[in-house]
Every structure is written in structure tokens, then in C-alpha cells.
Amino acid sequence: MSFTRIALVTLIAMTNSLGQVDELPPLPEWSEEDMRRWEQGDELISDMLFQSQQEIEPVAPMIEGFSWQDYEREVAEEKKIRDIPADLLDAYFSRKPSSFLIDPQNILTRQEYRDRLSFLKYHDSDSRVGLYVYLFEGQQELPSEMEMEQLFKEHFSDAGPTALVMYYMDEPGRAELYLSNELIRSVGQAERRRALQSAINQARSKSQPVDQLDGFCVQMSIRLYWMEKAWQAGIIAAPEIEAERGSSPSSFDWRQAFASWWSQWGHYTLMAALFSVVLLVGRWIHHRRRQYRFDDHPIRPRLGFPQAASASLVRRFSLHRSLSSEPSERSHRR
């Protein structure tokens, strides 16, 4: 290495070291007051450590005009259930959907939409039951006067067995399932409710909204497979008379009554039953261990013999006590 290069490296190192020394804060200087306090045993370290922090001016908030109350109010307002505007309803239901996943609001990203649509297409290729999923925001709500039967007649009259799902993102518990007449005749409303609840439970096991939608669609596809089997087998569901039973004044739901009674008096009943069992077992053990003792009563001799003719003695026995000889001894002489 040449002398020039060595001199250049040494100069750079010295420059860096000098710069670092200049950047160090000065050492604290002890005043007479500090010396006096130190001699008296006062604490000086805490004052030296926190002196710089006390001199710092308070920093202004990063976002000026921000209010947590206003933010919470806005979040609560966003979570309120609101009706879907009329123009969006037309985008959803004015014509037969050209895709199995209907999302005119672009709730899903393009890649998320393609992934969910590919699964619905796979279901359609493997099943004769069409599954159409309408996506809505979690806080949106369909108008109450909307009739799904009319929607089936207008757009799905020649589509064969069909299932329509109204799915609300991040709110799978509000999902709704509607089946065409072919499937309803085969499985009934009870199976429709069970299938919907099963899909909702599967969706609730996920944490992310997109994963919830995946779980819902997969479980619904499985339940529709068994509905398709029942429809192909020509099964006709039994007529449901639950509504008639509920409207009858003489009907009595003993299951609901028992559940209500049990919730109020069940623990008392269990305690009473347990106490009765313990009492019966204790009484049985007590009877098993009971002991009887016969008292010995002296017999007076007759004619010099310990026993004599025409003489008898009545004996009694009792529990845990001895009878006196006076009431227990009775002689019958002939």
C-alpha cells in the first residue's frame, strides 16, 4: 500500500473520530449546591436523568382535530343496518345473472372474485343444482317486500333445480337460502333450514371474511349434493304442519316447557335427588349393621330344680336397650 493511500485512510479515520466526539453531550458539572446536597445525602441522580425530559416541550398530536368520540360515532353509524338503494337492486335483480357470483358493488377484489367464481363453476360442472351467490355488504338489507318466488319465475323458470344465496360479507349469520320448487318438494323447508345453518356454522369457524365465504360455499355445495340425490330419487318431503300446530290454541310444546322448567328448577331437583339417594343408602347401611341382644333373665328354681313343669317365661328383645326384669318376666302358672 502506498504512502498516499495510508495517509488518506488515516485522515478519514481521524475525521470520523473527531466528528463522533463533537456529537457527544457534555459531561455534567457539579455546582456548589450539588456538592452541598450530596454531602447531606440527597438524591442527585434522578434530577440529572430526568432534567432533559422535563425541559422538552409537549409534542402536539399527530392528527389535529381528531376525536375518539367522533370516530366511534362514525363506526357505529357504518354498522347500522341500512336498505340497499334502488339502483343497486336493479343491478342485482333486473335480469338473470350471467355469473354464479353476483357482486356489482365490487366487494371482493378481482383475484378474490375469480377464486370464488372458479369454485362455483366447479360445483356447476359436478352438479345439476345451480348455486348462485349474491354478495352484499354486511350492513345492507334487502327490502322486506321483495318476493323471491317472483325472482325464480322471472329469471330461473327454465334453469332446473336452483339455489339462491343472499350472503352478507363479514356477517354470515344473516345469510339467506332460497330453493326452487323442485328442491323444496323433495327436501322440504326443514332441510333447507338445516343446510343453511350448517353452512353458517362452517363460515363462523373462520376469522377472515373471504375465508368465511369460502367455508360457506363449500358446505352449501355439500348439502346441495344430498338435496340433488333426493330430487333424482323422486323423494317427496312430508308436509309440514308445524305452523298449524303453532297456531292451534290447544297445542302444547312439552319440550319447550320442560326446557323452561329445567332451567329454573333443574339444579334444585338434582340436589333433592342426590340427598334422597344418600339418605336411602345410609338407611340401608344402618339396617345392615343393626344388632340385636337378648337379655338374660334369671329363672327361679322350682322344687330345687332350675326348671319345673307348668312354669314358662315370656321373653322380649329390643334394640340398644335392656328391659327390666319386672315387665319382661311373666310367669304363668297353671
Side-chain angles (χ1 to χ4, degrees):
M1 182 179 295
S2 62
F3 176 77
T4 305
R5 182 173 299 180
I6 295 175
L8 180 61
V9 172
T10 305
L11 180 62
I12 294 174
M14 293 177 62
T15 304
N16 291 337
S17 62
L18 291 175
Q20 293 177 359
V21 171
D22 294 340
E23 293 178 358
L24 293 176
L27 294 176
E29 297 181 359
W30 286 54
S31 62
E32 296 181 358
E33 179 66 20
D34 295 336
M35 292 294 297
R36 185 181 60 81
R37 291 176 57 188
W38 178 75
E39 292 175 355
Q40 294 178 357
D42 295 340
E43 296 288 344
L44 299 179
I45 298 178
S46 60
D47 297 343
M48 296 171 61
L49 290 177
F50 296 103
Q51 183 178 5
S52 59
Q53 296 184 4
Q54 294 174 357
E55 295 176 355
I56 296 177
E57 298 181 357
V59 181
M62 297 179 62
I63 303 177
E64 296 183 359
F66 178 78
S67 174
W68 280 106
Q69 291 78 5
D70 296 340
Y71 173 75
E72 293 177 355
R73 192 180 302 110
E74 292 176 359
V75 172
E77 187 68 25
E78 291 178 357
K79 290 185 177 181
K80 286 185 178 179
I81 303 299
R82 58 184 183 272
D83 294 336
I84 301 176
D87 56 343
L88 281 179
L89 289 177
D90 294 338
Y92 277 104
F93 306 109
S94 61
R95 56 188 179 276
K96 182 178 180 180
S98 58
S99 174
F100 294 105
L101 186 59
I102 302 91
D103 183 20
Q105 302 184 72
N106 296 324
I107 300 174
L108 299 177
T109 64
R110 180 170 298 182
Q111 186 61 42
E112 292 173 347
Y113 180 87
R114 289 176 178 175
D115 294 341
R116 273 81 233 168
L117 180 60
S118 63
F119 173 77
L120 295 178
K121 289 181 177 180
Y122 170 77
H123 167 83
D124 182 70
S125 64
D126 194 51
S127 174
R128 296 183 59 182
V129 179
L131 176 57
Y132 294 84
V133 180
Y134 292 78
L135 290 183
F136 303 95
E137 293 285 356
Q139 292 75 36
Q140 293 178 337
E141 186 177 27
L142 291 172
S144 57
E145 64 273 8
M146 184 174 179
E147 296 183 359
M148 290 299 166
E149 293 184 1
Q150 186 66 25
L151 180 64
F152 275 106
K153 291 180 181 179
E154 291 179 357
H155 303 317
F156 302 97
S157 58
D158 56 347
T162 306
L164 304 182
V165 172
M166 308 299 159
Y167 188 86
Y168 302 88
M169 289 297 295
D170 205 15
E171 292 290 340
R174 299 184 55 220
E176 302 171 5
L177 173 64
Y178 301 94
L179 302 177
S180 58
N181 293 330
E182 299 94 327
L183 294 177
I184 286 295
R185 280 195 298 267
S186 296
V187 300
Q189 294 292 345
E191 179 61 26
R192 180 192 66 83
R193 290 190 292 268
R194 284 192 292 268
L196 176 60
Q197 189 60 47
S198 176
I200 290 175
N201 294 339
Q202 187 65 27
R204 285 175 173 171
S205 63
K206 311 294 183 180
S207 59
Q208 298 299 323
V210 177
D211 296 336
Q212 292 176 351
L213 177 59
D214 286 341
F216 185 96
C217 293
V218 171
Q219 186 65 21
M220 183 58 63
S221 176
I222 296 173
R223 300 305 293 251
L224 290 178
Y225 170 80
W226 294 109
M227 293 184 187
E228 179 185 0
K229 293 298 182 182
W231 170 68
Q232 291 177 343
I235 298 176
I236 303 299
E240 298 184 6
I241 56 177
E242 295 179 359
E244 299 178 1
R245 290 180 179 178
S247 61
S248 175
S250 60
S251 62
F252 179 75
D253 190 355
W254 62 271
R255 293 183 179 178
Q256 185 176 0
F258 176 77
S260 177
W261 176 86
W262 183 261
S263 63
Q264 184 177 4
W265 303 100
H267 55 287
Y268 295 108
T269 304
L270 288 177
M271 292 176 62
L274 181 61
F275 178 76
S276 301
V277 171
V278 172
L279 185 62
L280 292 176
V281 172
R283 187 175 179 83
W284 178 79
I285 294 175
H286 175 71
H287 280 282
R288 292 280 295 179
R289 295 182 178 181
R290 176 179 294 181
Q291 296 179 357
Y292 297 92
R293 183 172 58 86
F294 291 92
D295 293 336
D296 295 332
H297 297 280
I299 302 175
R300 290 178 296 177
R302 297 290 189 271
L303 301 176
F305 292 93
Q307 299 167 347
S310 300
S312 62
L313 180 67
V314 177
R315 296 176 178 269
R316 295 189 306 174
F317 64 91
S318 62
L319 183 63
H320 300 308
R321 66 187 182 90
S322 301
L323 295 177
S324 61
S325 59
E326 294 181 0
S328 63
E329 184 179 349
R330 295 178 183 176
S331 299
H332 301 276
R333 299 180 180 176
R334 295 182 183 176

